[in-house]
Amino acid sequence: MKISIGNDHAGPDYKKAIVEMLQAKGHEVTNYGTDSAESVDYPDFGRPVATDVSEGKADFGIIICGSGNGISMTANKQSKVRAALCWMKEIAVLARQHNDANIISIPARFTSIPQAVEMVEAFLNTEFEGGRHQNRVDKISC
């Protein structure tokens, strides 16, 4: 699987742990995130992930900022992107099952690194249910 990841200054440690897990599972990862805790602007790191997903260069995206909100707002401006803010595994599963989310947004200041890794694993391993949910997803587009 091809996965793009991006993070601001709140997420370097989260990104590192997630990328290690993804690579250990054989996924190809494109890293747009910062490796520094020095303040940066989250749109600069979320937009390239959303572009990769929108253009089909990545199967899924992972974005990380302090609250997860700003970076997901940025990502959701791209067509074909459905970025879901997830703070627990169950939300990540539902985002895939019901919303066909293709980007997971992680709030680094409100989740632990082990939680984040668990959410990403659940997100990537969950299929979209389609059915009644497909009609709703079809109404989301820009």
Side-chain angles (χ1 to χ4, degrees):
M1 209 179 298
K2 293 181 180 180
I3 301 166
S4 290
I5 189 166
N7 61 282
D8 73 0
H9 52 276
D13 294 337
Y14 287 73
K15 178 188 65 183
K16 182 179 181 218
I18 291 166
V19 168
E20 286 174 2
M21 177 272 294
L22 293 171
Q23 289 176 335
K25 293 183 180 287
H27 299 296
E28 180 182 325
V29 180
T30 302
N31 176 10
Y32 294 106
T34 183
D35 293 322
S36 170
E38 191 172 318
S39 184
V40 294
D41 299 332
Y42 54 79
D44 296 338
F45 302 94
R47 187 169 288 114
V49 172
T51 299
D52 279 2
V53 171
S54 177
E55 294 177 355
K57 295 176 185 172
D59 300 304
F60 290 101
I62 301 164
I63 51 179
I64 309 160
C65 75
S67 71
N69 280 308
I71 204 162
S72 67
M73 290 176 187
T74 300
N76 278 318
K77 299 293 183 190
Q78 294 280 339
S79 67
K80 302 178 189 172
V81 165
R82 289 172 305 282
L85 174 58
C86 300
W87 57 92
M88 58 195 285
K89 182 176 100 174
E90 293 80 5
I91 298 295
V93 168
L94 285 173
R96 287 287 306 129
Q97 288 177 335
H98 293 189
N99 310 116
D100 199 17
N102 48 21
I103 296 179
I104 183 171
S105 181
I106 299 171
R109 293 194 178 112
F110 298 94
T111 60
S112 68
I113 290 174
Q115 261 184 308
V117 170
E118 179 184 49
M119 286 190 299
V120 169
E121 284 186 288
F123 186 83
L124 297 177
N125 291 322
T126 301
E127 296 291 326
F128 175 51
E129 288 181 353
R132 71 182 194 274
H133 303 293
Q134 185 63 60
N135 186 50
R136 297 165 185 161
V137 170
D138 290 341
K139 294 178 179 182
I140 295 174
S141 65
C142 297

